[in-house]
Amino acid sequence: MRKKGVIIIKAVIMAGGKGTRLRPLTCGMPKPMVPILEKPVMEYSIELLKKYGIDQIAVTMAYLPSVITDHFGNGEVWGIDLNYFTEDLPLGTGGSVKNAEAFLDDTFIVISGDALTDLNLQKAIAYHKEKKSKATLVLKKEPVPLEYGVIITDEEGRIIRFLEKPSWGEVFSDTVNTGIYILEPEVLNYYKRGENFDFSKDLFPKLLRDQIPMYGYIMEDYWNDIGDLPSYMQTQFDILDRKVKISMNCEEVKKGIWIKEGTKLGENIKLTPPLYIGKNCTIHNRANLDAYTIIGENCEIGETAVLKRSILWKNVRIGENSHSSGTTICSNAQVKSGVNIYEHSAVGSGSILSNRVMVKPNTKIWPDKKIGEDSIVNQNLVWGTKISKTIFGYKGISGDINMDITPEFASRLGSAYTSNLKEEATIVVSSDRSNACHIIKNSFISGILSTGAGVIHMKDAVMSINRFAVKNYGANGGIHIRIDPFNKNRAHIEFVDENGANIDRNTERKIENLFNRDDFQRCNGEKVKSAVKIDNFSSLYIQNGAKIITDLSKIKRKNPKIIISSRCNNLLDLAVMFLKYIGCQIQCEYASDKHKSADTYVAHISEQVLKNKGHMGIILSSDGEKMILIDEKGRIIDREMYLVFITLILLKIGKDNKIVVPYTAPKIIDKMAESYDAQVVRTKTSSDAIMNEMLKSKGANGICLQYILNYDAIWAVGKIVDFMIDQDLKLSNLVDEIPDFYLIKKEIACDWQEKGRVIKEIIINHRDRDIELFEGVKIHDDKGWALILPDKEKAIFNVYTEGFSEEYAQELSIQFSEKVEQILKNKHE
């Protein structure tokens, strides 16, 4: 040390980021050069290093490096020595630092050029030295850690596990990787100069494997990764709120109001703190600058204009009576009179918005665009990234027709989905018979055809037909749209891969990124194909379904009576055709809408089975994948019991020695499988994980029976009937064979921001117990087990418990539900 607070080590600033998610802000500059209160964000990193006496700094660059070098030069203005290292090819975070290896001869710190922090470097480096660490990762508690690398440490601070951008089921901690590292030079010896590798994905896991001392320093200081537009804006609002220990370099004329020299204020102006105005600005009469307004130098704000939570870069003109709320307007843009710009939007440099233009929320306008008078801008213009919420939820996308799911949305999403596939792809697109879904389907087809891909078009279809058609035609994927049976204005869209299984989360992320950037393949007019329309494909579906039946003649002789119902008439009609084709007599129950609840609906079908002496009752889910079975005694086989029921059938048939079930399935399945010398494979609870694992064990005829029993309810009914008749069994005989089990599921409301903290505390509080961290936290007990699983789509925790008795299951459910609730209650204590 030179003196208190001064450190003699070197630093590396990683400044290679393109900032694609920040576009249009980054269309002409690298991400580290995006201004925060008029200064490039990287400048704050330089000032922080200089504050602690670190003046020998390497800068690694890749994208538009000259913008950085032109601004900072050799660093003399800041009293530092800058050394630049440029990548010709992408080298990853670790590879870029390895590129500067000749500069690094002792302990050094790596810091991002596109995040803002006031980290106490002296404390962090002292921690590194005290622990004799070879690699110290600076960590920060983050309530919603899904977009970060989650780091798990032991009680001594030693790193024991990494998780890169986990799903909620994998969130085992709320401490995330800030991308700030204190390293000893020898850790770079794992790779050669010029090799592409990342710190978090490649190097650090190797250090962990080799038991190299590696620790996590949890900072209490400010840190924000400026990854997208909301975080970019929030960082500056945090500065105004004085949450960040940095110098404003500006006069505070009134508490919470900073105005630089040369700015002229008109009459009757309303200024609501906190706000910031750069130098040489002109604010005309009766303008209203509300809280969290930030205005760069040489801007002009017209009379009666209103700015709320908005950020203006330099040389921006805002016309009279224009309103801007929650937006960012880049340099040299002109916003004329009567314009309304709404939240989470952005206007690129040099763009002109003519009189009375309206820019809808979440809309981005790229640089140098001119928008005509009275135009409504409701989608991006023209290239780059749009920041939006995650598009995909549980099993696809759901939303209101012509609000969340518009024809324009569907067209763009169709283009994004196809752009993620190989060239010359073919997609099966289908919908139910509703007019609303027909419109959305046609928009999907337009978007797909615009990329040069082919389309197989089906009408009046169900999800199982789409999956079958994808495999039958050797297509590259499929899209199916259906109406929600409980809300006729709500649509559900599912996407499948070449196997007919739901696409996985990685594929969803890729599609979201392409969609948000408007980064689509486009073909010229000569390459646009015609959609191939397939009529009456249901006949082929029925004929192929009959092939899984052992003996059709037996079914036709027995002619079993089935009471069948569904809230989806489209699906019900198809099921009736199939079951009649294989030899069943059918009684349909169409009047499902008259029942006020699901329980009364199921009870009614049970009554009809008893009243009409049916061999079984069937209620098909509206997506055609699941079913509720009712035996001839009126007993209901639903949810987990159905899973155990079909496991029993699979084990008795004996063709599959591997039973695939979700992680939440009852343990009784393991005992059943053991008695048949079969193996149980548990997967994560997402449909794509379960489907793909099942499809790995196709039979010799290419058919996976357990996939059919789980995800094609129509064919599944046929196979269940076939099995019963072949074995001369009643449905009740099979129900009687199902072992007793006691599984309880409970939902606990939880703020999204609390999920990571809750899971972390559950792990800490039970670290001496038998726990599994496969998905969520599963805790084994001598009474059974409990699984605390954050929901992917809802602000809830799912608490599953299974006990060796009903009393034990209930006891575990109460015990662990109360633990989650107590952790949530202790937030402010």
Side-chain angles (χ1 to χ4, degrees):
M1 297 282 181
R2 296 171 182 166
K3 60 181 180 179
K4 187 176 181 180
V6 178
I7 305 163
I8 306 176
I9 66 171
K10 293 180 179 179
V12 179
I13 296 177
M14 293 188 293
K18 290 184 178 181
T20 53
R21 291 188 297 148
L22 268 176
R23 290 178 181 169
L25 278 59
T26 52
C27 284
M29 65 179 66
K31 187 178 172 186
M33 295 303 294
V34 170
I36 299 288
L37 259 62
E38 301 192 276
K39 290 197 304 190
V41 60
M42 178 176 152
E43 193 167 326
Y44 292 95
S45 296
I46 288 175
E47 290 174 348
L48 178 69
L49 294 169
K50 175 64 177 175
K51 174 183 175 181
Y52 287 96
I54 302 174
D55 52 17
Q56 295 292 310
I57 302 171
V59 181
T60 64
M61 306 180 297
Y63 176 65
L64 299 177
S66 61
V67 179
I68 296 174
T69 56
D70 288 349
H71 180 84
F72 290 107
N74 61 9
E76 184 178 0
V77 172
W78 291 267
I80 58 171
D81 180 21
L82 288 180
N83 299 265
Y84 297 105
F85 298 87
T86 304
E87 305 167 36
D88 295 324
L89 295 172
L91 296 175
T93 55
S96 68
V97 173
K98 178 77 174 179
N99 199 35
E101 187 175 29
F103 174 78
L104 305 170
D105 50 10
D106 203 345
T107 306
F108 63 95
I109 185 167
V110 176
I111 193 167
S112 173
D114 50 29
L116 185 69
T117 183
D118 56 11
L119 170 65
N120 188 317
L121 295 180
Q122 185 178 6
K123 287 184 178 180
I125 294 169
Y127 177 90
H128 174 81
K129 298 292 186 183
E130 176 192 340
K131 295 290 186 180
K132 297 181 180 178
S133 175
K134 295 298 182 182
T136 298
L137 283 64
V138 177
L139 311 179
K140 179 75 174 176
K141 291 186 177 180
E142 176 65 35
V144 182
L146 297 187
E147 294 301 319
Y148 302 95
V150 171
I151 310 295
I152 302 174
T153 58
D154 64 14
E155 293 175 347
E156 300 299 318
R158 190 159 187 151
I159 291 169
I160 58 175
R161 191 171 178 184
F162 296 93
L163 278 171
E164 189 69 20
K165 293 187 178 180
S167 67
W168 272 120
E170 299 169 316
V171 173
F172 304 126
S173 174
D174 60 352
T175 48
V176 304
N177 183 1
T178 65
I180 303 171
Y181 313 125
I182 304 164
L183 305 175
E184 298 302 321
E186 58 262 35
V187 300
L188 298 177
N189 292 340
Y190 279 77
Y191 293 90
K192 295 179 181 178
R193 190 169 181 269
E195 288 184 332
N196 185 315
F197 70 97
D198 281 331
F199 282 121
S200 57
K201 292 180 183 177
D202 302 309
L203 178 60
F204 294 152
K206 286 189 176 183
L207 297 180
L208 186 64
R209 180 200 64 199
D210 292 350
Q211 299 184 347
I212 303 298
M214 184 165 47
Y215 287 82
Y217 172 78
I218 301 176
M219 64 186 290
E220 299 294 333
D221 314 282
Y222 183 88
W223 172 81
N224 198 10
D225 174 35
I226 303 169
D228 55 23
L229 189 56
S231 62
Y232 169 74
M233 300 182 76
Q234 188 60 49
T235 299
Q236 295 177 79
F237 300 160
D238 289 344
I239 293 174
L240 296 186
D241 282 334
R242 308 307 289 149
K243 293 179 180 178
V244 195
K245 299 183 186 74
I246 61 170
S247 172
M248 297 285 283
N249 295 324
C250 180
E251 182 185 359
E252 190 173 6
V253 298
K254 187 178 177 182
K255 185 172 176 57
I257 298 178
W258 292 268
I259 301 178
K260 284 194 170 182
E261 69 276 7
T263 287
K264 298 176 183 178
L265 303 179
E267 297 178 357
N268 300 315
I269 291 172
K270 184 178 180 182
L271 303 178
T272 305
L275 62 82
Y276 172 97
I277 305 175
K279 63 183 180 181
N280 300 327
C281 292
T282 302
I283 316 296
H284 290 282
N285 301 341
R286 300 189 303 283
N288 181 355
L289 306 186
D290 208 345
Y292 302 105
T293 293
I294 296 167
I295 301 175
E297 67 177 44
N298 198 33
C299 289
E300 182 178 354
I301 312 300
E303 289 191 10
T304 66
V306 179
L307 298 178
K308 298 179 180 180
R309 298 179 69 87
S310 292
I311 298 171
L312 277 58
W313 291 8
K314 62 184 180 181
N315 303 323
V316 173
R317 300 290 179 266
I318 303 290
E320 62 183 22
N321 199 34
S322 286
H323 291 66
S324 172
S325 178
T327 191
T328 299
I329 303 176
C330 298
S331 301
N332 305 307
Q334 294 184 45
V335 176
K336 299 195 174 180
S337 300
V339 172
N340 287 281
I341 311 174
Y342 293 103
E343 62 272 9
H344 300 133
S345 55
V347 179
S349 298
S351 288
I352 300 172
L353 277 60
S354 302
N355 297 335
R356 299 176 301 281
V357 163
M358 178 185 290
V359 179
K360 290 289 191 73
N362 301 301
T363 302
K364 313 298 183 292
I365 298 172
W366 266 246
D368 303 312
K369 302 295 176 289
K370 183 172 181 179
I371 314 300
E373 291 187 356
D374 299 303
S375 297
I376 297 175
V377 185
N378 55 19
Q379 64 179 10
N380 291 355
L381 299 177
V382 160
W383 295 100
T385 303
K386 174 184 174 184
I387 307 304
S388 69
K389 67 177 182 179
T390 300
I391 299 170
F392 286 87
Y394 174 72
K395 281 189 70 181
I397 296 170
S398 298
D400 289 342
I401 296 284
N402 285 332
M403 291 183 66
D404 304 306
I405 299 175
T406 64
E408 296 83 4
F409 172 88
S411 175
R412 294 175 60 231
L413 190 56
S415 296
Y417 172 71
T418 314
S419 296
N420 186 55
L421 301 173
K422 63 182 182 182
E423 292 184 12
E424 302 298 325
T426 299
I427 312 298
V428 174
V429 185
S430 61
S431 70
D432 62 22
R433 60 177 60 143
S434 68
N435 290 333
C437 287
H438 185 68
I439 291 171
I440 299 302
K441 175 180 64 179
N442 286 340
S443 297
F444 266 110
I445 290 171
S446 296
I448 294 167
L449 293 176
S450 71
T451 69
V455 169
I456 296 173
H457 173 196
M458 292 181 176
K459 61 181 181 179
D460 298 348
V462 297
M463 190 68 232
S464 51
I465 280 187
N466 185 287
R467 296 185 194 279
F468 173 67
V470 168
K471 292 181 284 185
N472 183 73
Y473 290 114
N476 303 94
I479 301 170
H480 180 71
I481 310 106
R482 63 180 175 86
I483 286 290
D484 188 309
F486 301 100
N487 182 351
K488 301 301 183 185
N489 194 48
R490 190 165 182 81
H492 298 283
I493 306 168
E494 287 192 56
F495 297 78
V496 301
D497 61 20
E498 69 275 9
N499 296 315
N502 286 59
I503 59 175
D504 59 27
R505 182 59 190 138
N506 285 336
T507 304
E508 289 176 349
R509 286 181 189 273
K510 290 175 183 177
I511 295 168
E512 285 169 346
N513 289 335
L514 291 167
F515 178 90
N516 290 335
R517 293 198 303 265
D518 284 344
D519 189 4
F520 312 139
Q521 295 177 19
R522 293 291 185 226
C523 68
N524 60 36
E526 294 177 349
K527 292 187 177 181
V528 174
K529 298 180 174 67
S530 297
V532 177
K533 293 185 179 181
I534 305 293
D535 292 321
N536 201 28
F537 185 76
S538 57
S539 296
L540 187 61
Y541 170 79
I542 289 169
Q543 290 165 21
N544 276 268
K547 291 178 181 177
I548 68 171
I549 304 300
T550 306
D551 192 340
L552 282 173
S553 62
K554 270 191 179 182
I555 298 176
K556 290 176 180 177
R557 284 197 301 272
K558 289 277 188 179
N559 193 217
K561 185 174 185 179
I562 299 176
I563 316 298
I564 189 166
S565 185
S566 175
R567 293 187 184 274
C568 176
N569 290 343
N570 200 32
L571 179 73
L572 189 54
D573 292 344
L574 180 64
V576 169
M577 284 191 290
F578 173 69
L579 294 172
K580 284 184 176 179
Y581 182 84
I582 66 171
C584 301
Q585 57 172 310
I586 303 299
Q587 177 180 319
C588 255
E589 289 289 320
Y590 283 100
S592 59
D593 291 341
K594 67 182 181 182
H595 301 287
K596 293 182 179 178
S597 71
D599 289 341
T600 58
Y601 173 33
V602 174
H604 170 73
I605 303 302
S606 178
E607 289 169 7
Q608 292 302 306
V609 172
L610 292 171
K611 179 181 176 181
N612 294 283
K613 298 181 179 179
H615 290 84
M616 69 170 69
I618 305 289
I619 300 174
L620 300 173
S621 64
S622 58
D623 63 1
E625 292 186 357
K626 305 297 182 186
M627 74 172 92
I628 297 172
L629 276 172
I630 301 166
D631 73 7
E632 76 279 6
K633 296 179 180 180
R635 293 181 294 182
I636 296 163
I637 307 151
D638 190 12
R639 300 183 181 91
E640 286 76 21
M641 184 176 281
Y642 177 77
L643 183 59
V644 178
F645 172 79
I646 60 175
T647 299
L648 180 63
I649 290 178
L650 289 166
L651 292 171
K652 282 180 172 292
I653 292 173
K655 289 184 179 179
D656 285 317
N657 62 359
K658 185 174 79 170
I659 304 297
V660 179
V661 295
Y663 193 50
T664 54
K667 280 281 187 181
I668 194 66
I669 289 176
D670 298 74
K671 290 186 177 180
M672 293 167 61
E674 187 177 345
S675 64
Y676 283 86
D677 292 325
Q679 174 193 7
V680 174
V681 176
R682 292 178 180 267
T683 75
K684 292 184 178 176
T685 52
S686 63
S687 294
D688 65 275
I690 301 167
M691 287 181 186
N692 282 297
E693 189 63 41
M694 286 178 176
L695 289 169
K696 289 178 183 177
S697 56
K698 292 178 183 178
N701 55 1
I703 292 172
C704 177
L705 186 55
Q706 58 182 322
Y707 171 82
I708 290 169
L709 290 171
N710 279 276
Y711 291 105
D712 189 337
I714 295 175
W715 283 11
V717 174
K719 190 59 189 176
I720 291 167
V721 169
D722 176 47
F723 177 76
M724 289 166 47
I725 290 175
D726 183 64
Q727 299 293 312
D728 196 22
L729 295 169
K730 295 179 180 178
L731 188 55
S732 60
N733 299 141
L734 291 168
V735 175
D736 290 339
E737 277 197 63
I738 297 175
D740 291 334
F741 65 95
Y742 309 97
L743 184 70
I744 297 173
K745 178 188 176 187
K746 187 173 180 182
E747 295 181 353
I748 299 174
C750 170
D751 191 290
W752 282 100
Q753 296 189 345
E754 288 296 293
K755 287 185 175 181
R757 182 179 69 85
V758 170
I759 286 292
K760 180 182 179 182
E761 291 197 28
I762 290 286
I763 294 172
I764 291 172
N765 294 340
H766 297 84
R767 59 182 176 270
D768 297 329
R769 302 276 293 275
D770 181 7
I771 65 173
E772 294 177 16
L773 301 178
F774 176 70
E775 187 177 26
V777 183
K778 182 178 273 190
I779 302 159
H780 295 275
D781 188 276
D782 55 6
K783 297 174 183 177
W785 57 267
L787 172 65
I788 296 92
L789 182 63
D791 196 275
K792 173 184 175 182
E793 199 171 36
K794 302 174 186 175
I796 61 171
F797 272 97
N798 298 304
V799 179
Y800 296 85
T801 54
E802 184 182 14
F804 297 117
S805 68
E806 188 173 1
E807 181 184 0
Y808 282 167
Q810 191 65 44
E811 187 179 325
L812 287 169
S813 181
I814 293 169
Q815 176 188 345
F816 284 96
S817 297
E818 287 180 349
K819 285 185 178 183
V820 173
E821 289 166 349
Q822 187 59 46
I823 292 171
L824 291 168
K825 193 183 296 183
N826 291 343
K827 177 182 179 182
H828 301 295
E829 294 181 6

